[in-house]
Amino acid sequence: MFEGLYLLKPKVFNDDSGYFMESWNRKIILNILKKDIDFCQDNLSFSKQGVLRGLHFQKDPFAQDKLVSCIQGSIFDVAVDLRSNSKTFGKWVGVFLNDRDNEQLFIPKGFANGFLTLSESAYVKYKTTEYYSFESERYVIWNDKVLKIRWPLNKINFRNPIVSKKDSNGDIFEKDFIYFK
């Protein structure tokens, strides 16, 4: 439904000693996306249960493709389409990512991203195609009244998530604003 957004399921090889998986393979991604991806930065975040991070994005020229995975614990990951010329502009999708299924969410440039930590704690790893730029970083408020994201707070018995001061001050989503062309 969302052009360019992919839920990826890497092959996992299990045996009595544990498992092995390729978390990134350029040839496989090239085959799926039909374009080459050049990741330049890996990020790792640790969050306690109930922490909600996002909704983050970087504006052009530092917009980022991201490959998000939860390497320990479980999260509800959300991507919001901010591409003004997209038929899904202003729509969101949420997926559960965890360390058991090892699924990854590829989020193209033009999307805001955030997640809610469902497990006692979680480590989230994401690769980006552009370096972090403080001047280009932007936020859309996690509980925007237009977007109406259904965060699964009932799964963790939290009425209100734990949100950083920075994320609490995110902008409201505006249908007439051009985020990305």
Side-chain angles (χ1 to χ4, degrees):
M1 182 174 130
F2 290 80
E3 184 180 336
L5 190 75
Y6 292 91
L7 185 62
L8 306 172
K9 178 76 174 172
K11 289 182 183 174
V12 179
F13 302 94
N14 292 291
D15 64 22
D16 293 337
S17 64
Y19 75 86
F20 171 84
M21 77 173 212
E22 286 183 342
S23 61
W24 162 246
N25 183 309
R26 175 175 260 130
K27 288 181 194 175
I28 291 172
I29 296 298
L30 177 62
N31 189 44
I32 292 169
L33 301 180
K34 307 299 185 225
K35 68 175 185 175
D36 197 15
I37 298 295
D38 188 18
F39 289 118
C40 63
Q41 184 172 319
D42 277 6
N43 301 309
L44 182 64
S45 81
F46 170 80
S47 301
K48 299 175 186 174
Q49 185 178 51
V51 168
L52 193 150
R53 299 193 184 274
L55 302 158
H56 304 152
F57 67 97
Q58 287 194 173
K59 65 180 187 168
D60 287 329
F62 298 103
Q64 301 171 319
D65 294 314
K66 292 181 182 178
L67 183 62
V68 180
S69 56
C70 183
I71 59 173
Q72 184 178 352
S74 62
I75 63 169
F76 182 69
D77 197 77
V78 170
V80 178
D81 193 347
L82 298 178
R83 302 169 298 178
S84 57
N85 62 352
S86 170
K87 64 184 177 193
T88 53
F89 173 69
K91 304 260 189 274
W92 63 274
V93 63
V95 297
F96 293 94
L97 299 176
N98 60 62
D99 58 8
R100 292 176 311 283
D101 298 332
N102 295 304
E103 291 177 328
Q104 301 170 314
L105 186 61
F106 178 80
I107 304 169
K109 296 174 185 176
F111 280 76
N113 178 237
F115 67 87
L116 172 67
T117 306
L118 303 174
S119 53
E120 186 176 316
S121 63
Y123 285 93
V124 176
K125 179 181 162 196
Y126 57 101
K127 302 173 92 50
T128 64
T129 56
E130 285 293 337
Y131 294 105
Y132 170 76
S133 168
F134 176 79
E135 296 80 19
S136 295
E137 187 174 32
R138 298 292 182 270
Y139 316 91
V140 174
I141 191 75
W142 66 274
N143 59 352
D144 184 86
K145 304 232 183 306
V146 174
L147 296 176
K148 297 179 184 172
I149 297 171
R150 292 185 306 276
W151 298 98
L153 293 168
N154 60 328
K155 290 195 176 288
I156 54 174
N157 295 320
F158 272 66
R159 205 170 199 178
N160 295 304
I162 302 164
V163 181
S164 72
K165 185 176 182 178
K166 176 174 73 170
D167 288 349
S168 295
N169 293 319
D171 296 326
I172 59 169
F173 174 76
E174 298 180 45
K175 289 183 178 181
D176 297 330
F177 187 79
I178 296 177
Y179 296 91
F180 295 93
K181 292 183 180 184

